[in-house]
Amino acid sequence: MTPAVRLLLAALLLGTAQAQSTTTTTTTTTTTAPVQATPVTPTGDPAALLAAARDLVQQARTKSSSNHIDDLAWKAAADAAEIAVRADPSNPAALQLRAQIYSDVGFWKQAETAWDAYLKVQPSDVQAMKAAAVAQYNLGYAAYARGDIRNALAPFARCQTLDPQNADCALWAGRVALESGQFAPAVAQYQQALQLRPSDKVASYFLGVAQNAGKYGPAATTAFSRAYQNLDAGSKQAALNGFKSATSAAPNFIEAWREEGRLALELNDAASAKAAYDAAVNLPGASASDRYNQGLAAEGAQVGLPAAKAFRDAYAKYQAGDKAAAEAGFQTAVNAAPGYGKAWSWLGRVQYENKNYAAAAVSYGMAVKADPNDKTSAYYLKLSQAGK
């Protein structure tokens, strides 16, 4: 251990002892910073203190199991950097080290303060400005995630000031503006995000939503945006409920109907999917995909979505010439819904084309049992039974 590290550890221990000697009579729960030790008055050479802080950072990076301020190694490194800054408050290297530590551990409020202090003495450091922008992005996102839209916009705006090339900040500034009912600024932000990242599908999608938001209103667009966020987070049922709130607030919101229907299909909620696509196909801009999904949902309401999905996938395989996969898929469909006459008929067809007449006779027999009016299946049942 170098003399500088010994000196710094002694200072840190002194700070801990001073903090432990302080008596409080109330208990407070906080979600912000961990309680800091009583500030230590640094002694010794500032350069040595800075070198010692760097050593502790290196140890934290190589030995720590997690990048978190509560990790003992990172806590020691952060405290050491604070001591180095107090020893020489205008030293750019010490200020930068402290700021980088807080960014590395995701302690964004402290990172904001630390980068501000560094940029006061090094205002032209582009990389530091980008790092400071990342801190602002995370502060904005944290505010958004806790539903504090009002306090989310300023960090995203500052992020863009610090780093005009940060597409994520433009994207989320657009999201916040959209949910605040500021539709024109939202459009501008999404356009900026697309300029910076032309292939960003989310920015492109939400640009369209923002451009049409005036037709839907703030309540619907906010519900839609939040539902999309829940979907990104993997909370699919919450997302589905959110899309339903959006369509309830704005029945002309075709994008929300589509998302509601698509997610309901994924969750095997045939009733919700059918209601969504029934609404979507009657709106301007309805597509062939909407009508296809309407049919899938309707069929799923009758035989169950797993069976209907298996049938459609098998039919696509048949159309592509993969009869083995098609047969397996039709078999999956009838296993899921034993009364699914159409699936039995197509299973029989593949088996018949493969000259497996005995199996085809069974399948066509089940198809006729499910639908006695199915004349085609009845015809091929007789041929299969005859083995020709």
Side-chain angles (χ1 to χ4, degrees):
M1 183 181 294
T2 67
V5 172
R6 284 198 296 271
L7 174 64
L8 186 51
L9 287 176
L12 291 174
L13 289 173
L14 174 61
T16 301
Q18 290 174 345
Q20 290 174 341
S21 69
T22 303
T23 303
T24 59
T25 57
T26 60
T27 301
T28 303
T29 301
T30 178
T31 58
T32 57
V35 176
Q36 298 288 321
T38 302
V40 178
T41 301
T43 58
D45 178 27
L49 292 172
L50 176 58
R54 283 175 171 155
D55 285 346
L56 290 172
V57 170
Q58 186 59 35
Q59 290 177 34
R61 286 178 177 158
T62 57
K63 298 179 181 179
S64 177
S65 59
S66 65
N67 284 4
H68 195 278
I69 192 62
D70 289 332
D71 180 273
L72 290 178
W74 280 110
K75 178 70 166 59
D79 287 347
E82 292 286 0
I83 291 173
V85 169
R86 286 197 295 273
D88 190 356
S90 61
N91 185 335
L95 291 166
Q96 184 180 38
L97 180 67
R98 179 180 66 173
Q100 191 61 57
I101 289 170
Y102 289 131
S103 284
D104 286 348
V105 299
F107 196 173
W108 301 115
K109 194 60 184 172
Q110 287 294 93
E112 174 188 41
T113 302
W115 283 117
D116 284 351
Y118 172 74
L119 288 169
K120 282 182 179 178
V121 298
Q122 294 285 87
S124 300
D125 188 332
V126 174
Q127 291 305 312
M129 292 172 73
K130 290 182 177 181
V134 171
Q136 292 297 327
Y137 167 82
N138 281 280
L139 289 171
Y141 185 82
Y144 174 89
R146 63 176 180 265
D148 188 1
I149 293 292
R150 188 172 169 184
N151 287 315
L153 191 55
F156 288 131
R158 186 149 186 245
C159 173
Q160 290 176 289
T161 300
L162 287 162
D163 182 9
Q165 301 303 306
N166 191 314
D168 289 324
C169 283
L171 186 67
W172 280 95
R175 183 77 69 93
V176 171
L178 182 65
E179 293 190 20
S180 300
Q182 301 175 29
F183 302 138
V187 168
Q189 292 289 359
Y190 285 124
Q191 288 173 334
Q192 174 69 8
L194 278 171
Q195 270 192 330
L196 295 170
R197 203 156 56 203
S199 62
D200 192 314
K201 293 181 180 179
V202 173
S204 178
Y205 182 76
F206 270 94
L207 174 59
V209 172
Q211 288 170 331
N212 291 311
K215 297 187 296 185
Y216 309 139
T221 51
T222 295
F224 181 88
S225 181
R226 287 285 161 170
Y228 203 94
Q229 182 63 15
N230 281 326
L231 187 59
D232 280 347
S235 301
K236 294 182 179 180
Q237 189 58 53
L240 178 59
N241 294 338
F243 290 129
K244 287 182 177 181
S245 294
T247 55
S248 177
N252 61 334
F253 200 161
I254 191 169
E255 292 92 345
W257 284 118
R258 283 173 176 153
E259 290 295 338
E260 181 180 331
R262 184 194 61 74
L263 188 52
L265 286 176
E266 187 176 334
L267 294 173
N268 290 324
D269 183 347
S272 293
K274 184 176 183 303
Y277 284 112
D278 283 349
V281 297
N282 289 311
L283 289 173
S287 66
S289 179
D290 295 329
R291 288 184 282 275
Y292 175 89
N293 286 326
Q294 181 192 31
L296 173 60
E299 197 159 351
Q302 294 177 340
V303 300
L305 276 171
K309 289 175 181 177
F311 173 82
R312 295 207 172 197
D313 182 63
Y315 182 77
K317 296 286 198 313
Y318 179 87
Q319 292 288 88
D322 189 350
K323 291 186 179 180
E327 182 176 359
F330 291 132
Q331 186 67 58
T332 298
V334 298
N335 289 345
Y340 198 173
K342 184 168 69 172
W344 280 115
S345 180
W346 275 92
L347 178 59
R349 178 170 178 168
V350 175
Q351 292 164 337
Y352 185 86
E353 290 177 359
N354 288 333
K355 295 182 169 43
N356 187 355
Y357 298 121
V362 173
S363 297
Y364 279 125
M366 293 298 293
V368 171
K369 181 180 178 181
D371 181 6
N373 295 318
D374 184 349
K375 294 181 180 180
T376 300
S377 291
Y379 174 76
Y380 280 100
L381 172 59
K382 290 180 180 179
L383 291 180
S384 299
Q385 290 170 333
K388 60 180 182 180

